[in-house]
Amino acid sequence: MKGVTVVLCVSVIWAQAAQIASRQIGGRIIGGVEANAGQFPYAAAIYVNTADGTYFCSGALLNRQWILTAGQCVDGALLFSIRLGSNSLKSNDPNALTVATDNYFLHPDYDPLTLNNDVGLIKLRMAITLTDYIKSITILSSNTIPPAANVITIGWGQTSDEVAGLVDDLNYVYLVTLSNEECRLAFGNQVNDNMVCVDGNYNEGTCRGDLGSPLIQYGGSVTYHVGISSFISSNGCESTDPSGFTRTAPYVEWINNITRNN
């Protein structure tokens, strides 16, 4: 899984691939806060082995055997090592569970050039046991995320443009959705209705290493998965450009078909 750049009429979309073999790009959410233990029990840290090296992505646990992430994170994968149940990537956390699998499904219409349909599913070899620290997230089935909606994203992505390397603790940040018209001002007309951009105070958002992270919206007592981290601006993570996500709702039928029939 290599980073993909797409030249648009205004700026450049950068995929957030994080290679951790020969070069390290990763770290924390820009402007984020460290999560408490069990605050985001569906968070998945994904190490992706390909013919070109080892990369880092994030994802979200949908049920006892499936993880939802970006298409970029599964395209060309040979093996996944996935850590669940812990905010820490390295600590000896008794709540952590590490599993390996090579089974994935890439959306058939995924386009690595435009990042359209940037959706992937990873199937675990065996159904896992849910705990207080490992839980599933619910997909929002209707595509009704309006502009100015309050959302959250999480990840282990880069904390600044200068500081590279994955840090240990899961971070989260509060963001607001933009209209696609606003998003196109930054990224051009390749932003389509299956994408959504988010912004925060000044430069808050995602960075390299956050690829595949869920965009979250709270609805009463239910936590909804509404987007998959997909692209950032070539102007840098600390720029005021928005962060780009693939909307989850348009892919509910495909996700359900894959997870029920495989």
Side-chain angles (χ1 to χ4, degrees):
M1 183 196 64
K2 290 187 176 180
V4 180
T5 61
V6 183
V7 179
L8 301 177
C9 62
V10 180
S11 183
V12 179
I13 285 177
W14 280 71
Q16 304 164 51
Q19 186 173 10
I20 58 174
S22 59
R23 67 183 193 278
Q24 279 203 326
I25 45 177
R28 295 190 302 180
I29 289 275
I30 298 293
V33 178
E34 285 188 11
N36 296 320
Q39 186 175 359
F40 303 101
Y42 37 80
I46 306 168
Y47 295 86
V48 187
N49 294 308
T50 74
D52 298 321
T54 302
Y55 301 82
F56 182 82
C57 281
S58 297
L61 187 68
L62 294 184
N63 56 44
R64 295 175 59 206
Q65 204 163 4
W66 290 92
I67 290 171
L68 178 62
T69 187
Q72 299 168 68
C73 295
V74 304
D75 190 15
L78 300 176
L79 182 69
F80 304 96
S81 177
I82 302 166
R83 184 173 168 93
L84 300 163
S86 179
N87 292 341
S88 170
L89 297 178
K90 300 176 183 177
S91 71
N92 187 21
D93 188 338
N95 300 308
L97 173 68
T98 301
V99 294
T101 184
D102 58 1
N103 197 357
Y104 71 86
F105 294 82
L106 176 64
H107 193 280
D109 297 322
Y110 166 66
D111 188 333
L113 297 179
T114 64
L115 299 182
N116 197 23
N117 306 305
D118 189 12
V119 185
L121 288 164
I122 300 171
K123 185 179 182 181
L124 307 182
R125 289 173 177 167
M126 297 179 63
I128 61 173
T129 300
L130 301 182
T131 71
D132 288 341
Y133 298 92
I134 302 175
K135 297 180 180 179
S136 59
I137 191 170
T138 301
I139 293 178
L140 184 64
S141 57
S142 59
N143 194 16
T144 56
I145 317 170
N150 293 317
V151 290
I152 298 173
T153 195
I154 60 175
W156 290 272
Q158 201 162 307
T159 186
S160 73
D161 291 319
E162 292 77 26
V163 180
L166 296 173
V167 296
D168 193 42
D169 295 307
L170 182 68
N171 273 232
Y172 69 96
V173 66
Y174 292 97
L175 302 166
V176 173
T177 58
L178 305 178
S179 68
N180 276 16
E181 289 74 17
E182 291 175 286
C183 187
R184 291 184 186 109
L185 293 176
F187 296 117
N189 290 328
Q190 278 183 263
V191 172
N192 60 48
D193 290 341
N194 290 343
M195 301 174 179
V196 62
C197 282
V198 296
D199 218 344
N201 293 323
Y202 187 58
N203 64 352
E204 292 174 339
T206 58
C207 195
R208 297 171 186 87
D210 291 321
L211 179 62
S213 294
L215 190 66
I216 302 157
Q217 188 176 42
Y218 292 121
S221 61
V222 181
T223 303
Y224 290 108
H225 189 301
V226 298
I228 305 165
S229 184
S230 178
F231 57 88
I232 55 178
S233 171
S234 63
N235 292 327
C237 303
E238 293 184 85
S239 76
T240 57
D241 290 342
S243 304
F245 287 74
T246 300
R247 294 177 186 261
T248 314
Y251 302 95
V252 169
E253 183 177 356
W254 179 77
I255 292 169
N256 287 340
N257 285 339
I258 294 296
T259 56
R260 290 171 182 170
N261 298 319
N262 292 278

